[in-house]
Amino acid sequence: MKILIVGGGGREYAIALALKRDESVECLYFAPGNGATDELGVNVDIKDFEKLAEFVKKESIGLTIVGPEAPLVEGITDIFKKHNLAIFGVSKDAARLEGSKAFMKDFLSRHNIPTARYIQTSSIEKADEFIDTLKAPIVVKADGLCAGKGVIIAKNKEEAKESVRGMLNGESFGDAGKSVVVEEFLDGYELSIFAVCDGENYKILPAAQDHKRLLDNDEGPNTGGMGAYAPTPLANDDIYAQTEEFVIKPTLKGMKDEGMPYTGVLFIGAMVVDKKVYVLEYNVRFGDPECEVLMPLLKTSAKDLFYKAATGRLDEIKLEFKNEFAVGVVVAGKDYPYKNSEPKPITSKAKISANSHVAYAGVDKKEGVIYASGGRVLVCVGLGESIKAARENAYDLTKEISFEGAKFRNDIAYQALR
Ligand code: AMP
Ligand code: GLY
């Protein structure tokens, strides 16, 4: 089978590596891919979804897998389905679970799914009133997509009220902040839990932890994620059971009942407070860098998993994972997350090994040389029989690969190892 992967980051690179382990995968295409995916398949430069669907038909591509949220929110799945093409990714309607925080919070509340107490409003007065009922810190979120940057944790009520004003008058996040969600602060630890869903059935994956802050000890600004590991010992059987019973099942049922069956990845940004699971947010796709540590742990064929999910037949497969751990260390450019740095050539002495590999993300290729060009440039992934061993393998790999200005955190997986 030929497969198209939409996207061009480390997540899509990791999905490609997993697909290539299945010999029945003939050829991979990437739209748009990056400067390293052309070594795994063919990069396709077609942005228009109708034209991309035509290309998929012409090339007899049997499955399309969508990596990032933007094309889902823009409706790529609906267009491909109209053309009777198999696509793994949620519909435009379902993508609102990520595209609008207000939609997501209201959905959680309609279906009694545990989440932080909140108000969604465009009124400064109503927001102020609700803020006065909360204890600091207070969380203020812009409604729309802000590439992970629309969340402010205000230290006190005044700062919360100021943040609301900044968003509602369009200063902070433009249109994305025209409506806000104000919510109570949940004080616990975060997990990234993923379920692959086919509209009706689901398969839950081992829980991962991301590291959102730029610097060691969770200091510095928020980023898209500086590293991840899985499975995390911070998720025990009870946490998985709660997540399935109180989060995944009511979500799939709710989405189906509301006329938008959920076919794609359900990414639960969970906060565990006093052993209880709360939903902080939903995303409608794999996390990046979580995907880079989950894909190498898959024992089941990634092609089977995504194809069965896309065609409503997930109940036909058994999802199995290796009895190992994976740690991924994101190597970012000098100016991340503030701006893109000038492209720098990447030198690599890394050898292909069973215990470690690189997932390329923000890279370009010029005259055969791979350049670091994006914010998060690549992920060094280590595997091992313990988290400690996996982490050593990941950090060993960071020494083999370099570019000017490269930076990374030194404490990925610390919550599992302390
Ligand atoms: P979100 O985009 O909603 O995932 O928010 C980004 C980050 O802000 C989360 O990963 C949390 O670290 C933090 N956060 C969001 N909402 C809350 C909350 N209600 N309580 C505590 N932390 C939160
Ligand atoms: N790593 C978190 C995200 O992809 O949103």
Side-chain angles (χ1 to χ4, degrees), residues 101 139 141 151 183-186 190 212 280-281:
K101 295 216 190 289
V139 184
K141 302 182 177 183
V151 177
E183 66 182 30
E184 69 178 329
F185 180 81
L186 295 176
E190 285 187 71
K212 289 208 166 81
L280 275 187
E281 64 159 352

Side-chain angles (χ1 to χ4, degrees), residues 65 69 75 99 115 131 148 151 159-160 166 192 202 216 265 301 304 331 334-335 361 373 395-396:
I65 300 169
E69 64 277 18
T115 189
I131 288 170
V151 177
E159 196 185 318
S192 300
Y202 67 89
D216 289 3
V265 178
S301 153
D304 288 348
V331 183
K334 172 166 82 48
D335 302 313
S373 58
Y395 279 108
D396 281 348

Side-chain angles (χ1 to χ4, degrees), residues 158-357:
E158 288 64 45
E159 196 185 318
K161 290 179 183 176
E162 250 172 62
S163 310
V164 166
R165 280 172 179 67
M167 286 185 192
L168 287 182
N169 63 26
E171 275 164 29
S172 317
F173 301 104
D175 278 349
K178 287 280 166 64
S179 166
V180 296
V181 168
V182 180
E183 66 182 30
E184 69 178 329
F185 180 81
L186 295 176
D187 194 6
Y189 61 86
E190 285 187 71
L191 297 175
S192 300
I193 307 180
F194 300 89
V196 170
C197 310
D198 72 358
E200 190 117 13
N201 309 290
Y202 67 89
K203 301 282 176 192
I204 189 167
L205 277 63
Q209 270 200 311
D210 186 13
H211 298 67
K212 289 208 166 81
R213 302 296 199 98
L214 181 68
L215 306 172
D216 289 3
N217 303 315
D218 292 329
E219 284 170 15
N222 257 327
T223 69
M226 292 300 291
Y229 72 97
T232 170
L234 297 174
N236 57 21
D237 289 348
D238 178 53
I239 298 227
Y240 285 110
Q242 280 187 52
T243 307
E244 294 194 40
E245 283 314 308
F246 303 125
V247 181
I248 300 175
K249 286 181 186 169
T251 298
L252 292 191
K253 179 168 185 314
M255 292 301 278
K256 193 171 166 221
D257 290 350
E258 294 188 21
M260 41 190 162
Y262 199 94
T263 303
V265 178
L266 181 66
F267 171 174
I268 302 155
M271 183 74 91
V272 182
V273 186
D274 295 334
K275 301 190 181 158
K276 194 164 176 282
V277 175
Y278 293 84
V279 176
L280 275 187
E281 64 159 352
Y282 278 146
N283 294 306
V284 298
R285 38 125 189 131
F286 276 115
D288 192 345
E290 290 95 324
C291 190
E292 286 91 317
V293 295
L294 288 169
M295 286 299 115
L297 294 173
L298 260 183
K299 215 153 105 182
T300 305
S301 153
K303 183 207 88 181
D304 288 348
L305 176 64
F306 298 128
Y307 187 70
K308 296 277 182 187
T311 52
R313 293 183 295 155
L314 256 188
D315 55 330
E316 290 173 12
I317 60 162
K318 185 157 179 252
L319 182 59
E320 290 183 291
F321 284 86
K322 295 177 192 163
N323 199 8
E324 280 179 58
F325 296 86
V327 173
V329 178
V330 170
V331 183
K334 172 166 82 48
D335 302 313
Y336 184 71
Y338 304 105
K339 57 178 181 113
N340 270 1
S341 316
E342 223 175 280
K344 299 286 177 194
I346 298 175
T347 51
S348 170
K349 291 181 285 187
K351 291 192 194 73
I352 305 264
S353 111
N355 291 329
S356 64
H357 65 266

